[in-house]
Amino acid sequence: EAIDTIVTPMGAYGKEALGSMGNDAPLACLSLKPRLLYEYFKQLFAQVTNPPIDPIRESMVMSLRLPLGPEGNLLDKSGDHAKRIDLDCPLLSLDEMHAIKNMDMEGYKTAIIDITMAYEDPTNPPTTADLLSELDRIDRESAQAVRDGYKVICLSDKAVGPKRAPIDTLLAVGSVHQYLIKEKLRTLTGLAVESGSAHQVHHYALIFGMG
């Protein structure tokens, strides 16, 4: 259904398909079929403006610009607050993501953290313990990268393949975000995500909310 109603129209026409408001699909927690973690979250209500407000037609009052990188001390006024990467939009093109992953300028470097896990035997899938171990590895690698001076952490599932399964992006982002807060490192770095799992506005909103 996601391929037919969402992905295919985006590929064919370069825009998101139109649909009615609301989602009357059965709750993911009651489904007997595998569901993405995104589908366990629901939007409680929709606040709508008429006409719709967006950063294109209402650029005077709304913007999607986003700073990426370490945050300064909110209680201290300093020019260092401005030393961040200014993005026009939080959703990056392939070229923009490539530039961020490979940058090395004015102290800005990006650490790429693999968020895939071994899946050698299709008849013997990874266990819950394996998943928790991999999340712990991702958390520790991210924290060490911040201590090593990396100002941007990129969580990437690009290494997915026949013997590498992707870890759910939402789970990885939330885990890293909370771990860095616990280690008092979160404001010292910016988080970027390179993932093939998110393909709806709802998915992006959840990733932003998680970290």
Side-chain angles (χ1 to χ4, degrees):
E1 182 179 346
I3 294 176
D4 293 338
T5 63
I6 298 174
V7 178
T8 299
M10 284 195 295
Y13 306 110
K15 60 182 181 181
E16 190 176 8
L18 297 177
S20 62
M21 292 175 56
N23 182 358
D24 58 357
L27 296 176
C29 60
L30 300 179
S31 176
L32 298 179
K33 297 182 178 180
R35 304 288 290 272
L36 293 174
L37 187 58
Y38 303 109
E39 298 174 15
Y40 287 84
F41 295 82
K42 291 285 188 177
Q43 184 178 350
L44 293 180
F45 69 94
Q47 185 172 345
V48 182
T49 62
N50 190 10
I53 186 171
D54 62 60
I56 299 176
R57 286 170 287 194
E58 304 289 345
S59 59
M60 294 293 291
V61 296
M62 183 179 180
S63 173
L64 294 179
R65 296 182 75 88
L66 176 77
L68 177 66
E71 300 178 23
N73 187 345
L74 295 176
L75 303 178
D76 181 35
K77 292 183 179 181
S78 169
D80 292 338
H81 288 288
K83 294 181 179 179
R84 305 177 74 186
I85 301 172
D86 195 16
L87 303 176
D88 291 329
C89 176
L91 302 182
L92 305 178
S93 67
L94 293 177
D95 290 339
E96 290 170 333
M97 177 58 78
H98 178 77
I100 287 178
K101 288 169 61 179
N102 295 279
M103 67 181 173
D104 185 3
M105 191 171 106
E106 297 186 5
Y108 265 82
K109 293 189 299 181
T110 301
I112 302 173
I113 307 297
D114 179 32
I115 56 171
T116 65
M117 61 188 299
Y119 191 9
E120 301 286 345
D121 184 4
T123 63
N124 185 28
T127 64
T128 301
D130 294 330
L131 175 60
L132 293 175
S133 176
E134 286 296 315
L135 286 174
D136 182 61
R137 187 261 308 169
I138 293 170
D139 291 343
R140 288 185 284 102
E141 287 184 2
S142 299
Q144 187 58 49
V146 178
R147 295 187 181 100
D148 291 341
Y150 288 90
K151 296 186 177 180
V152 176
I153 303 295
C154 177
L155 304 178
S156 174
D157 63 9
K158 200 169 184 178
V160 66
K163 296 185 178 181
R164 299 290 299 180
I167 295 174
D168 191 279
T169 305
L170 200 59
L171 191 61
V173 171
S175 180
V176 169
H177 176 68
Q178 293 298 327
Y179 186 79
L180 293 181
I181 290 176
K182 179 182 176 181
E183 296 294 313
K184 298 180 173 60
L185 298 171
R186 183 62 185 92
T187 59
L188 302 180
T189 191
L191 280 182
V193 177
E194 183 180 39
S195 173
S197 69
H199 56 270
Q200 299 181 31
V201 174
H202 178 64
H203 300 173
Y204 301 132
L206 286 171
I207 291 175
F208 295 140
M210 283 290 182

